[in-house]
Amino acid sequence: MAPPSIHRLSSPQIERLIRDRATLSANVVFVHHALVRMRERAIMRLEVLEVLRQGRLRRAPEPDPAHGSLKCLMQRFIAGRELGVVAAVSDDDPGVVVVTVVEIGG
């Protein structure tokens, strides 16, 4: 039996899925936009990985029909600032795509 579609998972299940997938750095893909924003905001890859591995899902995931994925905002307080990582997950890809990175309230 195939695992349930990510579109049917609860928020806690999606949070766990992102954490599990991000355990291996090779499963995390950074799009160009995210890399540019990280550079502008002085946010390191290790910080992004920590947000994905230990952060919390702070909003309900949003479907992205154009890509067949869910966009999720994971947040975590790191090094004196609250960081947010918008990540996309899908049924077709075992990884996590980092779409953008922001400093919350900064």
Side-chain angles (χ1 to χ4, degrees):
M1 176 187 281
S5 168
I6 60 164
H7 298 280
R8 295 180 181 263
L9 298 178
S10 67
S11 290
Q13 289 172 315
I14 292 171
E15 181 179 281
R16 199 170 320 116
L17 175 82
I18 291 170
R19 287 177 174 183
D20 290 347
R21 288 182 177 187
T23 300
L24 290 175
S25 299
N27 288 343
V28 180
V29 176
F30 293 80
V31 299
H32 178 73
H33 173 83
L35 294 171
V36 169
R37 295 299 173 254
M38 288 166 59
R39 209 168 311 126
E40 288 173 354
R41 297 169 178 145
I43 298 170
M44 298 181 299
R45 284 181 188 246
L46 286 175
E47 292 173 313
V48 172
L49 291 172
E50 183 176 333
V51 172
L52 294 174
R53 292 172 181 161
Q54 299 176 16
R56 300 298 309 239
L57 189 62
R58 295 293 185 194
R59 288 189 208 150
E62 297 178 19
D64 181 359
H67 297 101
S69 63
L70 287 177
K71 285 188 178 173
C72 309
L73 174 64
M74 297 286 285
Q75 287 181 235
R76 182 165 172 82
F77 191 79
I78 301 173
R81 57 191 179 161
E82 184 78 17
L83 299 181
V85 175
V86 176
V89 291
S90 71
D91 291 322
D92 300 331
D93 183 350
V96 177
V97 177
V98 177
V99 178
T100 195
V101 180
V102 296
E103 185 173 349
I104 308 292

